[in-house]
């Protein structure tokens, strides 16, 4: 594809996206009440994630942060946005987000890929002795020598053998062999191919992985990284993550020898075995259109059990003293692109590997830095009840808060919380004791007329290992993210309650439950959204 044709294709994609947003009556004034307070917005897939010079960068360096929580637009991001506005007319952002929107200086990311720091100048792109920052996409390479104040396009596509139909590249430096490794998904074949290079320009084919697990839908947006099992660096495994349209992503655990990824035998056994024996990895995401046909999610190790955590990607590098692996996902779904808030980036999550009786599993938890947003708080301890309980003082002024509750079941068959309650709205976050399932029910969560698929119940497996269930929940105007039992199970969902529907209730069905503790914090706005700054 020539550069001119590619530019036209990108322009068509962007035009289609903007038209899908701007063509709706709900967008502009009425959508403003759903704008998030602490989630990065607007955005498509998180892409081009890297760290350099004390800052973390998002979406090709259009925004930066020193704590992964408070973001601000870079000079490049602001200028790029002006270019987009210039192409489509000066009023485009006003139409999309309102005349007084804090998102006037935002930018929408279109292309997918990796942004890495070439510390050894293997590409030869350095001009002043400083390592170049390289943006690698499937058909183009660009670099920056001025900390992403500008990009220089090389004008040449990378030479990648056996790459037909592949895209969404993941690039990383493989230290043991002093080489770059590239992963590219072949969407319709449900495979990912591995390549290697010394200079990031000419790539040699090494191996491929797949298809495994969920294969009914296209594979794209790959991620790949090592993690220590239970924090033991002598027991390191590689985690392979692939997004599956339209349900989030699945992961695999195994080993990487610099050429090929080999999945652990336990994963092979469970993914190959009898579906009736795989209760820990076969749960349902009951979209109405699927329930009518009696179908469900495929058997897989899902990253998230909600409808809105797609294209999960980790940063390519971190601050020198930070040993975590952190990722974010796109909170949206291709099934309902006409929703009021088209896409937000999830809260940043630290991912790890933990041993359970059934094997090693991926867990994820919100990063500690989010605590910097905490404001007024309230808490209760040790309350036993049956039916419905309303904790006194637990009605936040807005649906922008963090909540942690720990339950000890006495005799109930089901218990949990009703969130964003009022005006007929209610989002249920519950636990089914018999089925050992965590669920989010958004069938009555608020505005949902934009899609028949939106009202649904999302369920994920959560073992009752100790007799207690701990839920860590983030609510932000149009979203709810639930972390069950220290990140063992997560469910991420968009919701659209009325701005006055802020009630919180705790419930217990068919028996008693003890609330060992419940805490709530109001969460403030991140730097990007503060006015007059």
């Amino acid at each position: 594809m020539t550069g001119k044709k590619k530019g036209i294709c990108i322009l068509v994609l962007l035009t289609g996206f903007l038209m899908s947003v701007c063509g709706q009556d709900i967008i502009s004034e009425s959508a403003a009440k759903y704008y998030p307070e602490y989630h990065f917005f607007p955005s498509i897939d998180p892409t081009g994630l890297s760290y350099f010079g004390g800052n973390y960068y998002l979406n090709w360096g259009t925004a930066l942060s020193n704590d992964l929580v408070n973001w601000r637009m870079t000079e490049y991001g602001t200028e790029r946005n002006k270019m987009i506005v210039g192409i489509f007319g000066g009023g485009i952002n006003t139409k999309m987000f309102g005349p007084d929107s804090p998102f006037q200086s935002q930018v929408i990311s279109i292309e997918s890929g990796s942004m890495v720091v070439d510390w050894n100048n293997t590409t030869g792109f350095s001009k002043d002795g400083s390592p170049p920052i390289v943006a690698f996409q499937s058909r183009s390479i660009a670099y920056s020598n001025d900390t992403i104040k500008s990009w220089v396009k090389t004008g040449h596509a990378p030479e990648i053998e056996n790459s037909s139909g592949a895209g969404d590249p993941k690039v990383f430096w493989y230290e043991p062999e002093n080489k770059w490794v590239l992963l590219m998904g072949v969407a319709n074949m449900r495979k990912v191919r591995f390549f290697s290079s010394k200079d990031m320009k000419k790539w040699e084919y090494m191996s491929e992985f797949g298809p495994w697990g969920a294969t009914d839908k296209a594979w794209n947006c790959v991620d790949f990284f090592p993690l220590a099992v239970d924090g033991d660096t002598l027991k390191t495994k590689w985690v392979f993550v692939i997004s599956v349209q339209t349900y989030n992503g699945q992961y695999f655990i195994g080993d990487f020898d610099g050429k090929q990824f080999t999945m652990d035998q336990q994963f092979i056994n469970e993914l190959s075995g009898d579906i009736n024996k795989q209760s820990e990895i076969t749960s349902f995401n009951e979209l109405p259109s699927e329930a009518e046909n009696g179908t469900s999610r495929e058997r897989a190790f899902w990253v998230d059990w909600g409808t809105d955590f797609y294209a999960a990607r980790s940063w390519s590098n971190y601050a020198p003293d930070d040993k975590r692996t952190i990722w974010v996902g796109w909170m949206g779904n291709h099934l309902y692109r006409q929703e009021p808030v088209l896409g937000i980036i999830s809260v940043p999550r630290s991912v790890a590997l933990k041993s359970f009786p059934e094997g090693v599993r991926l867990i994820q938890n919100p990063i500690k830095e989010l605590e910097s947003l905490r404001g007024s708080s309230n808490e209760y301890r040790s309350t036993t009840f049956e039916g419905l309980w309303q904790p006194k003082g637990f009605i936040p002024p807005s649906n922008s808060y963090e909540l942690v509750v720990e339950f000890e079941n006495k005799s109930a068959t089901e218990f949990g919380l009703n969130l964003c309650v009022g005006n007929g709205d209610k989002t249920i976050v519950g636990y089914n004791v018999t089925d050992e399932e965590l669920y989010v029910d958004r069938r009555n969560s608020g505005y949902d007329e934009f899609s028949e698929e939106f009202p649904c119940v999302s369920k994920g497996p959560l073992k009752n290992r100790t007799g207690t269930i701990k839920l860590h929940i983030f609510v932000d105007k149009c979203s709810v993210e639930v972390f069950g039992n220290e990140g063992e199970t997560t469910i991420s969902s968009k919701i659209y309650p009325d701005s006055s529907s802020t009630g919180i209730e705790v419930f217990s069905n068919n028996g008693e439950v003890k609330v060992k503790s419940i805490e709530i914090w109001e969460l403030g706005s991140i730097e990007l959204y503060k006015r007059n700054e």
Side-chain angles (χ1 to χ4, degrees), residues 17 21 36 39-45 97 103 106-108 308 329-333 336-337 339-346 478 494 496 529:
F17 172 77
V21 176
H39 285 74
F40 186 89
F41 164 77
S43 184
I44 310 295
D45 299 347
F97 309 118
F103 317 119
Q106 261 293 12
V107 66
I108 296 166
D308 299 288
W330 178 65
M331 294 195 71
N333 193 304
Y336 37 83
R337 294 188 179 186
E339 60 177 322
V341 178
L342 184 61
I344 63 176
I345 297 297
S346 72
C478 64
K494 298 289 281 298
Y496 291 101
Y529 306 150

Side-chain angles (χ1 to χ4, degrees), residues 324-327 347-352 354 362-370 470 472 474 482-490:
R324 298 172 296 179
T325 296
I326 299 170
W327 72 10
V347 295
R349 307 173 180 189
S350 176
V351 293
K354 184 177 179 179
L362 183 75
I363 64 171
Q364 50 187 316
N365 281 290
I367 62 173
K368 295 284 289 183
E369 287 87 340
L370 287 162
K470 183 178 180 180
H472 194 169
F474 287 81
V482 182
F483 301 82
N485 282 357
E486 306 296 344
E488 182 178 343
T489 300
T490 62

Side-chain angles (χ1 to χ4, degrees), residues 84-124:
I84 293 173
V85 172
I87 293 173
F88 293 99
I92 193 70
N93 269 18
T94 299
K95 291 177 183 176
M96 288 175 68
F97 309 118
D100 192 34
S101 169
F103 317 119
Q104 287 291 322
S105 62
Q106 261 293 12
V107 66
I108 296 166
S109 170
I110 294 299
E111 293 187 77
S112 181
S114 296
M115 190 172 86
V116 295
V117 181
D118 183 9
W119 296 102
N120 301 313
N121 193 29
T122 62
T123 56

Side-chain angles (χ1 to χ4, degrees), residues 310-380:
Y310 194 74
R313 284 205 176 98
S314 59
W315 268 262
S316 62
N317 59 310
Y318 302 86
D321 58 346
D322 198 336
K323 306 304 180 185
R324 298 172 296 179
T325 296
I326 299 170
W327 72 10
V328 290
W330 178 65
M331 294 195 71
N333 193 304
H334 296 294
L335 289 176
Y336 37 83
R337 294 188 179 186
Q338 304 301 313
E339 60 177 322
V341 178
L342 184 61
I344 63 176
I345 297 297
S346 72
V347 295
R349 307 173 180 189
S350 176
V351 293
L353 293 180
K354 184 177 179 179
S355 297
F356 294 98
E358 60 269 25
V360 177
R361 299 288 185 267
L362 183 75
I363 64 171
Q364 50 187 316
N365 281 290
I367 62 173
K368 295 284 289 183
E369 287 87 340
L370 287 162
E371 294 179 5
S372 66
L373 300 176
R374 289 177 176 177
S376 300
S377 63
N378 200 352
E379 68 175 301
Y380 271 91

Side-chain angles (χ1 to χ4, degrees), residues 10 33 80 119 331 383 454 469 486:
I10 294 172
K33 63 183 178 182
R80 178 176 170 177
W119 296 102
M331 294 195 71
T383 299
F454 193 81
I469 297 295
E486 306 296 344

Side-chain angles (χ1 to χ4, degrees), residues 8-60:
I8 292 173
C9 288
I10 294 172
L11 190 63
V12 169
L13 284 171
L14 183 56
T15 304
F17 172 77
L18 293 176
M19 288 179 66
S20 70
V21 176
C22 300
Q24 306 168 70
D25 292 336
I26 187 69
I27 297 302
S28 71
E29 294 127 21
S30 57
K33 63 183 178 182
Y34 302 123
Y35 290 161
E37 294 291 338
Y38 55 88
H39 285 74
F40 186 89
F41 164 77
S43 184
I44 310 295
D45 299 347
T47 192
L49 312 182
S50 191
Y51 171 88
F52 186 77
N55 289 306
Y56 290 93
Y57 290 89
L58 178 66
N59 291 357
W60 305 118

